[in-house]
Amino acid sequence: MSAEEITGAEIVVRCLAEEGVEHVFGYPGGAVLYIYDAIFNQNKFQHILVRHEQAAVHAADAYSRSSKKIGVALVTSGPGVTNAVTGLATAYMDSIPMVVISGQVPSNAIGQDAFQECDTVGITRPCVKHNFLVKDVKDLATTMRKAFFIATTGRPGPVLVDIPKDISMHKCVYEYPRELEMRSYKPVDKGHSGQIRKAVQLLQQAERPMIYTGGGVILANAAPELNKLVDKLGYPCTNTLMGLGGCRASSDKYVGMPGMHGTYEANMAMQHCDVLIAIGARFDDRVIGNPKHFCSHPRKIIHIDIDPSSISKRVKVDIPIVGNVKDVLQEFLAQLDASESKTNVNALADWWKQINEWRGRECLKYLPSTEVIKPQSVVEKLWEVTKGDAFITSDVGQHQMWAAQYYPFDKPRRWMNSGGLGTMGVGLPYAMGVQMANPDATVACITGEGSIQMNIQELATCKQYHLTPKIIMLNNRFLGMVRQWQQIEYGSRYAESYMDSLPDFTKLAESYGHVGMKIEKPGDVDGAMREAFAMKDKLVFMNFITDQTENVWPMVKAGKGLTEMLLGSEDL
């Protein structure tokens, strides 16, 4: 036996080091103990012990979202990997690059209903970009290399590597492949120059142009190119929930977020434009509303996306451009610079006049109160105290929408939320992942009293690893978004949406070794917020008791079109 031979577990550790991995989020179990033993004997990366496998995958997810690094999670077989499925599905829906390593029962026990066995490959196939079951230790290094390559190229996504326990114990000569050739997987980066030329010409001829951008801009690190395009053309731009921070919110060309809870001006401009360029966005149902209504208004559509299957999937487009958003926008800008054609200045001025009239509706205006804390005001105060420069994670619900509406982002990769899957419980693990990737940054988690309890055990992880995010809980004692829909769609029949048995969150936070605050009066919001953020070395759990009756406006009801918005309770 050559001295160069090492165990499969040691191969996993070396592969992670080769990929430059600095942190692994995980939870041990029998099927991965050889791997954990190998981790114990290395010093290339740090393992973060979470308290639930779902949190491990969420933390790895946010680690990727908030940086240019790739998140890695490690879970055991059976319930370990089934607990991780929600995190995988969340990352898959939002196209987040990530590698998850799962343990499996020994090879000879697969299919025998062994203890803690499940069909990991079968269960995860619908919610990962790709998955592998390693059957021979000689294939392990190449499989790990493929996993990182697939996760980070083309349209990104999570990749799972399932490793039977005996494979992690077997030995072979270790060699990490530097070059990788995959015959069946060759993602395209560069867009077709002819198609880009057509798009440039069409966009320059537009009288009512609109730039619609999504998470693809963030994932491709294309915010500089997007902002240059917006500034150069002077066209209105909207960022989806996943694309916030792509076009800087402080730009006068930015018209807010589109869709179900988007701004009046963004939705009206989306519907009434004559040329729409979609960049790294997928015409999601929460963005365009009813497709028939959206398509009822004639317009020309340009669609730039790395994934050809996303183009014309929900809305037929006129000029498809397949390629990496950053590469395509760079050529787009070059062709614009070389073009002798000019934009229609007079028509654009008229278009902006119309958009500014829509802006005049002030759709995000709300009634302040001296009696009860308005949730919107808490988010606005958070922006003021952090100077708009924090990393913001959110859970899912009303607080998520208020965060998106009232915390304007000027930078990409500062907003972490579960957009596609809408996963409650992501906020705290997201904050953990963000802080591990950005240790010197200010991190705040905006959450609700329903969402936070789904992964509240991760307060222990924060204590162990000295993680100090500030938790901003907008506590309205309801499952807020459920209550809002029940009010609007179900005759105010609040079936199981009222939270009538809540813990004392201040004492709960303190029991984990953190600082707890309860804020009940509007006049105390500013002081409490500033006090909390002054405690840079502490996790502060801020329980804001907010208005129970407040709804998220505007709102497009299910099945309605973008222009059929409810702007407030008076429209009900």
Side-chain angles (χ1 to χ4, degrees):
M1 186 168 59
S2 167
E4 295 294 318
E5 290 189 335
I6 60 176
T7 67
E10 292 168 325
I11 288 173
V12 170
V13 167
R14 288 204 188 181
C15 290
L16 294 176
E18 294 273 11
E19 291 291 341
V21 171
E22 298 174 6
H23 298 96
V24 174
F25 301 88
Y27 200 93
V32 287
L33 285 183
Y34 284 109
I35 298 175
Y36 271 90
D37 195 48
I39 289 174
F40 183 83
N41 291 316
Q42 60 84 44
N43 59 5
K44 298 294 185 182
F45 57 84
Q46 181 184 12
H47 180 275
I48 309 300
L49 175 64
V50 298
R51 275 31 178 195
H52 192 288
E53 291 89 354
Q54 181 178 337
V57 184
H58 288 329
D61 172 341
Y63 190 91
S64 289
R65 291 182 196 244
S66 65
S67 69
K68 297 177 183 178
K69 307 170 188 177
I70 182 166
V72 178
L74 172 61
V75 300
T76 194
S77 64
V81 76
T82 57
N83 281 345
V85 167
T86 298
L88 284 166
T90 301
Y92 181 65
M93 286 285 281
D94 289 347
S95 302
I96 306 302
M98 181 168 60
V99 171
V100 175
I101 301 162
S102 61
Q104 184 54 276
V105 299
S107 301
N108 61 4
I110 293 177
Q112 303 299 313
D113 293 332
F115 176 68
Q116 291 196 333
E117 179 192 1
C118 71
D119 178 8
T120 297
V121 169
I123 289 171
T124 63
R125 184 176 287 121
C127 59
V128 295
K129 186 176 179 184
H130 196 65
N131 59 19
F132 298 91
L133 172 62
V134 182
K135 298 179 180 179
D136 190 322
V137 70
K138 296 184 182 69
D139 299 329
L140 184 52
T142 300
T143 300
M144 290 292 291
R145 179 75 178 87
K146 287 179 178 179
F148 278 88
F149 178 70
I150 293 170
T152 56
T153 55
R155 181 177 182 173
V159 176
L160 180 134
V161 181
D162 198 33
I163 305 174
K165 188 171 184 177
D166 57 310
I167 301 298
S168 66
M169 181 178 58
H170 291 169
K171 291 186 175 183
C172 73
V173 175
Y174 170 73
E175 184 178 356
Y176 199 65
R178 299 298 168 191
E179 302 296 326
L180 191 64
E181 178 69 20
M182 298 180 67
R183 185 174 60 183
S184 61
Y185 179 68
K186 296 185 181 295
V188 175
D189 286 332
K190 301 293 183 182
H192 190 282
S193 293
Q195 291 292 89
I196 295 174
R197 190 175 301 111
K198 289 180 184 177
V200 168
Q201 292 170 352
L202 180 60
L203 209 55
Q204 288 179 317
Q205 295 166 5
E207 296 185 353
R208 300 184 308 280
M210 184 68 179
I211 301 172
Y212 152 53
T213 75
V217 171
I218 309 297
L219 294 167
N221 301 306
E225 289 79 7
L226 172 63
N227 282 285
K228 189 174 180 180
L229 179 71
V230 172
D231 291 341
K232 186 177 186 64
L233 292 173
Y235 291 175
C237 182
T238 181
N239 295 333
T240 67
L241 184 69
M242 293 303 301
L244 294 178
C247 174
R248 60 188 184 280
S250 60
S251 169
D252 61 352
K253 305 300 184 290
Y254 180 63
V255 295
M257 183 175 69
M260 177 173 281
H261 295 296
T263 66
Y264 184 75
E265 53 268 30
N267 284 350
M268 294 297 284
M270 283 276 285
Q271 188 68 11
H272 293 288
C273 65
D274 66 344
V275 175
L276 177 68
I277 178 168
I279 307 173
R282 57 190 179 91
F283 294 92
D284 178 74
D285 60 295
R286 289 292 177 104
V287 170
I288 67 165
N290 186 323
K292 289 184 178 179
H293 181 278
F294 183 75
C295 295
S296 65
H297 194 285
R299 64 173 78 75
K300 296 291 185 181
I301 299 178
I302 304 160
H303 193 179
I304 304 170
D305 204 288
I306 188 70
D307 182 3
S309 71
S310 290
I311 294 178
S312 291
K313 185 176 182 179
R314 301 194 75 242
V315 172
K316 188 178 185 302
V317 306
D318 300 280
I319 302 179
I321 303 172
V322 177
N324 180 51
V325 167
K326 191 177 186 74
D327 292 316
V328 173
L329 286 184
Q330 286 174 348
E331 183 169 351
F332 208 101
L333 287 164
Q335 289 200 24
L336 269 176
D337 287 337
S339 173
E340 296 180 358
S341 301
K342 302 297 180 184
T343 57
N344 191 329
V345 177
N346 292 333
L348 184 60
D350 290 339
W351 180 226
W352 271 114
K353 182 179 179 181
Q354 173 63 79
I355 291 171
N356 286 328
E357 286 181 13
W358 290 328
R359 273 178 168 165
R361 298 290 295 270
E362 296 184 311
C363 66
L364 295 182
K365 191 174 182 179
Y366 63 93
L367 291 175
S369 172
T370 57
E371 302 298 324
V372 62
I373 296 174
K374 293 289 184 175
Q376 303 95 320
S377 70
V378 177
V379 178
E380 289 177 325
K381 183 58 65 177
L382 176 63
W383 183 87
E384 179 186 323
V385 170
T386 61
K387 299 179 173 61
D389 200 34
F391 285 82
I392 304 296
T393 77
S394 87
D395 270 295
V396 172
Q398 287 181 315
H399 58 269
Q400 175 191 25
M401 294 299 104
W402 285 318
Q405 291 174 332
Y406 294 95
Y407 196 104
F409 293 90
D410 268 359
K411 297 177 183 178
R413 295 188 182 273
R414 293 302 180 98
W415 166 240
M416 318 292 138
N417 84 117
S418 172
L421 196 65
T423 310
M424 292 175 68
V426 298
L428 181 54
Y430 272 6
M432 289 159 38
V434 169
Q435 194 159 58
M436 293 306 302
N438 307 272
D440 298 323
T442 300
V443 182
C445 168
I446 299 177
T447 187
E449 75 286 352
S451 287
I452 192 65
Q453 293 188 84
M454 291 197 171
N455 269 311
I456 202 164
Q457 74 285 339
E458 298 309 315
L459 288 173
T461 307
C462 292
K463 183 64 177 177
Q464 180 174 347
Y465 296 97
H466 310 291
L467 302 176
T468 59
K470 305 302 181 276
I471 299 172
I472 315 297
M473 187 173 75
L474 305 180
N475 183 353
N476 60 10
R477 289 83 70 208
F478 269 108
L479 297 177
M481 193 60 84
V482 172
R483 182 205 58 76
Q484 178 169 337
W485 278 72
Q486 287 173 333
Q487 177 188 348
I488 295 170
E489 298 278 9
Y490 299 90
S492 297
R493 294 182 295 277
Y494 301 125
E496 305 304 325
S497 57
Y498 179 62
M499 306 285 280
D500 61 354
S501 183
L502 292 173
D504 183 327
F505 287 103
T506 300
K507 290 181 179 178
L508 185 57
E510 290 171 349
S511 74
Y512 279 103
H514 303 302
V515 176
M517 292 183 178
K518 185 177 183 180
I519 304 95
E520 300 181 84
K521 298 178 180 179
D524 294 336
V525 171
D526 180 85
M529 193 83 75
R530 295 185 188 280
E531 181 184 352
F533 280 90
M535 291 186 271
K536 297 187 182 299
D537 61 342
K538 301 283 187 182
L539 184 154
V540 183
F541 193 117
M542 308 182 73
N543 178 13
F544 289 93
I545 307 302
T546 62
D547 187 348
Q548 284 191 288
T549 65
E550 198 70 22
N551 286 334
V552 180
W553 306 113
M555 178 180 177
V556 178
K557 294 171 66 175
K560 297 295 184 180
L562 279 184
T563 59
E564 300 175 296
M565 284 169 281
L566 304 177
L567 297 186
S569 56
E570 67 276 4
D571 290 340
L572 292 176

